[in-house]
Amino acid sequence: MATININENLFEIVDTIEKMTIADSFVARSNKIGGGNGEAKFYVGNENAETRSFFGENGFRINCFLLKKDLKEFLLNSEGEYKNPEQPYQKKENLPALWQERMKIIEQLDEVLHFTLIEQTQIAGPRIYVKAPDNDPIYKLIREIALPNISYLSAIKLIDPNGNFVFYFKPFVDYFGEYENPFVIEEEIKILEEEELPTEVKTQLLRARKGQGKYRQALLEECPFCPITLISDDRLLIASHIKPWVKSDDDEKIDPKNGFMLTPTYDLLFDRGFISFSNDKKIIISPWLSKMTCSKLSISPEKQYPMLPTAGRENYLEYHRNNIFKG
């Protein structure tokens, strides 16, 4: 059984629920788009064998935790939306100040934040809802920092060192299929366009943002196929950055060693940090992917891909493992 080390404690991984979308009805009033005060109950899935196997029988009560570092990461990843909202929040003028306040609150918390979830059995129907005991501060904090539609929770079911089930929850942000807020990208492009660089250089840097131009050509010359699937039709290959374009300096943006040619599914998995690679060409799989998803993708921990070009990419891969990979 796979394991995960959390604060020097080793847990066995049972399985993962990858995405439970946070709806507008759940978030605190300060973050809402529509009307109403917000509901404390949270939808975790439909009534079926898979959901029951993960959470428990009817009327379950489960011990859960969040990590302080995950809450900080979530706020950093959602900073662009808080400060330059894309969605029509009712009180969007307050969001920049709320981001600052919430980050200060999180900074003062313990490293591990425990809470309890209880199934709401009084709600009839095929949908399963949970709620924490009244006034639970950690559950309340989730509702306060989450932004509707672009926030979601994932959960890993674990066995702790004492043999008990415990559930590790983590919030994520997804900008309708994009990892980065559009404003952040626009600002980075604006800064680049204002730099005193030759027009041709700027063009190459901007094309590299989309995996095009000389950057893509150089990558194809070095590795004209996806090292995972071995597909060589260049129409189906994406020039993926290892260290993201937004985080790279001008040289790194167009450095072919800062990239792989990948087919779309694996490009997305790598870009979002659900997989990474060791310097000796072995895949590293995030615990935030379920066993079923891994099975469907035909990926398994420590599988080696001999054609993966890691030479010269060691520093970029280290950055990816430390900053992008969802460990």
Side-chain angles (χ1 to χ4, degrees):
M1 184 176 288
T3 60
I4 184 172
N5 191 313
I6 301 173
N7 279 29
E8 305 305 320
N9 291 305
L10 196 64
F11 295 80
E12 293 183 351
I13 299 174
V14 179
D15 206 351
T16 302
I17 285 188
E18 294 157 330
K19 188 173 184 179
M20 295 171 281
T21 301
I22 295 177
D24 190 56
S25 59
F26 175 74
V27 302
R29 183 186 297 183
S30 58
N31 302 5
K32 290 182 67 62
I33 295 172
N37 296 323
E39 302 170 329
K41 67 179 187 292
F42 180 67
Y43 167 65
V44 297
N46 283 342
E47 178 67 65
N48 55 46
E50 182 180 349
T51 306
R52 284 297 172 196
S53 174
F54 189 86
F55 286 109
E57 297 300 323
N58 185 60
F60 63 79
R61 182 186 184 103
I62 57 176
N63 296 320
C64 312
F65 68 89
L66 295 162
L67 297 182
K68 173 181 175 178
K69 69 178 183 66
D70 292 339
L71 297 181
K72 289 177 64 176
E73 178 184 337
F74 174 83
L75 274 186
L76 289 172
N77 289 337
S78 60
E79 182 178 6
E81 180 69 8
Y82 264 93
K83 296 185 177 179
N84 296 275
E86 291 282 319
Q87 298 189 100
Y89 303 96
Q90 286 188 356
K91 300 179 180 180
K92 64 181 181 179
E93 68 278 2
N94 297 335
L95 289 178
L98 287 174
W99 187 91
Q100 299 284 355
E101 291 175 13
R102 289 163 182 171
M103 183 61 85
K104 288 180 181 178
I105 290 171
I106 290 171
E107 290 283 5
Q108 298 172 4
L109 297 174
D110 295 333
E111 296 301 322
V112 182
L113 308 165
H114 297 277
F115 63 104
T116 300
L117 288 179
I118 306 167
E119 182 181 0
Q120 300 301 284
T121 55
Q122 75 279 11
I123 301 174
R127 295 165 66 89
I128 297 176
Y129 290 90
V130 296
K131 183 181 177 183
D134 290 343
N135 301 316
D136 182 284
I138 304 306
Y139 189 71
K140 180 182 177 183
L141 182 60
I142 297 172
R143 298 181 63 211
E144 288 178 345
I145 68 171
L147 299 174
N149 305 320
I150 62 171
S151 302
Y152 67 92
L153 287 173
S154 293
I156 306 177
K157 185 176 183 178
L158 303 170
I159 299 176
D160 70 17
N162 296 318
N164 301 311
F165 287 124
V166 62
F167 295 77
Y168 172 18
F169 279 78
K170 181 175 179 176
F172 292 94
V173 61
D174 184 324
Y175 293 104
F176 303 106
E178 296 293 334
Y179 184 68
E180 298 160 320
N181 181 275
F183 175 80
V184 175
I185 298 172
E186 290 169 7
E187 282 296 295
E188 178 67 19
I189 292 174
K190 181 180 178 182
I191 291 171
L192 176 58
E193 290 175 337
E194 292 174 351
E195 288 186 16
E196 294 183 2
L197 295 171
T199 301
E200 183 179 350
V201 174
K202 288 184 181 180
T203 299
Q204 289 304 322
L205 289 168
L206 290 171
R207 284 180 177 174
R209 170 70 181 85
K210 297 182 179 180
Q212 299 173 349
K214 292 182 179 179
Y215 173 73
R216 176 182 175 84
Q217 181 182 344
L219 264 177
L220 278 170
E221 289 173 358
E222 182 175 347
C223 187
F225 52 82
C226 171
I228 299 175
T229 63
L230 302 183
I231 288 173
S232 58
D233 186 338
D234 62 6
R235 298 171 302 176
L236 304 178
L237 299 178
I238 296 173
S240 178
H241 282 84
I242 301 172
K243 182 178 181 180
W245 187 90
V246 171
K247 302 296 184 181
S248 298
D249 62 32
D250 287 354
D251 290 331
E252 293 169 336
K253 282 180 169 68
I254 56 174
D255 181 6
K257 294 296 186 184
N258 184 21
F260 291 127
M261 296 303 303
L262 299 171
T263 47
T265 297
Y266 292 98
D267 169 75
L268 184 61
L269 288 166
F270 186 72
D271 184 61
R272 297 295 182 87
F274 290 114
I275 61 172
S276 191
F277 299 98
S278 64
N279 292 346
D280 59 354
K281 306 177 187 288
K282 292 179 181 178
I283 193 170
I284 307 169
I285 301 173
S286 170
W288 300 102
L289 284 182
S290 70
K291 291 180 179 179
M292 182 176 293
T293 294
C294 290
S295 176
K296 290 178 178 178
L297 289 167
S298 297
I299 57 176
S300 56
E302 296 290 298
K303 182 176 180 179
Q304 192 170 49
Y305 294 92
M307 304 305 292
L308 187 75
T310 56
R313 292 173 166 82
E314 293 87 353
N315 289 338
Y316 289 125
L317 283 169
E318 182 179 6
Y319 180 93
H320 188 274
R321 292 191 296 265
N322 292 336
N323 298 279
I324 308 301
F325 179 67
K326 293 177 170 63

